[in-house]
Amino acid sequence: MGDKTESSIVIEATPAAIMAVIADLAAYPQWSDGISSVEVLSLYEEDSRPADARFSLASGPIKDTYELEYDWDDDKSVTWTLTKAEMLTAMDGSYTLTENGDGTTTVHYQLAVDVKIPMIGMIKRKAERVIVDTALKGLKKRVESSSPG
């Protein structure tokens, strides 16, 4: 995946509760800054989780409509790969969930983004960092505000 940005956050919820929020792609515009719309294009038959989805993104200098292909590993992890885009050439990432045994789960997020226009590596990493940090904080807020207790 080349250079990537990664970060982690602890969320007060089970991996299943967190993965349910991650898998609800259509709700991303409600909690994920920069995502204006999501259309799920296909589902996996075995668990009805998204297989392919189309996103509209406007995050700082990056504005695009792109498609991602998802690969789910139960409630342990999910990875995605860019399959189609106008401005992006890469948007590959993953969430890995680790149950902490105390009612909390550590969510580790990795992301590698690349764009067609020339962009200094430092600026690109900063954009990735903003996306990763915003996504983790949004995910934590969404899960903890919707989970009972």
Side-chain angles (χ1 to χ4, degrees):
M1 199 180 339
D3 287 340
K4 60 185 175 280
T5 299
E6 47 191 300
S7 188
S8 297
I9 199 165
V10 175
I11 298 178
E12 291 186 36
T14 64
I18 295 166
M19 200 58 87
V21 171
I22 293 170
D24 186 8
L25 300 183
Y28 276 35
Q30 298 170 22
W31 62 268
S32 186
D33 284 352
I35 303 289
S36 56
S37 70
V38 180
E39 179 187 357
V40 174
L41 304 173
S42 64
L43 299 172
Y44 287 107
E45 285 183 24
E46 62 271 12
D47 59 10
S48 296
R49 285 187 171 162
D52 297 281
R54 180 180 301 120
F55 293 77
S56 291
L57 171 74
S59 181
I62 301 172
K63 292 174 178 44
D64 202 356
T65 297
Y66 60 93
E67 294 180 12
L68 299 178
E69 180 180 321
Y70 285 84
D71 185 20
W72 303 87
D73 181 11
D74 196 30
D75 291 330
K76 295 190 263 317
S77 68
V78 58
T79 59
W80 57 90
T81 305
L82 183 74
T83 56
K84 187 193 280 185
E86 294 166 27
M87 189 175 135
L88 297 167
T89 57
M91 173 71 92
D92 301 340
S94 67
Y95 281 113
T96 304
L97 281 55
T98 306
E99 199 160 6
N100 297 323
D102 60 359
T104 68
T105 301
T106 299
V107 179
H108 186 77
Y109 185 15
Q110 292 185 335
L111 184 68
V113 177
D114 214 342
V115 291
K116 289 181 181 167
I117 58 170
M119 191 181 283
I120 298 168
M122 186 175 70
I123 295 172
K124 192 166 56 172
R125 294 284 91 73
K126 186 174 188 321
E128 284 178 357
R129 169 65 56 200
V130 168
I131 292 169
V132 167
D133 289 346
T134 302
L136 284 173
K137 287 175 187 159
L139 177 64
K140 178 180 174 73
K141 184 176 179 184
R142 178 76 173 194
V143 170
E144 291 181 353
S145 68
S146 64
S147 65

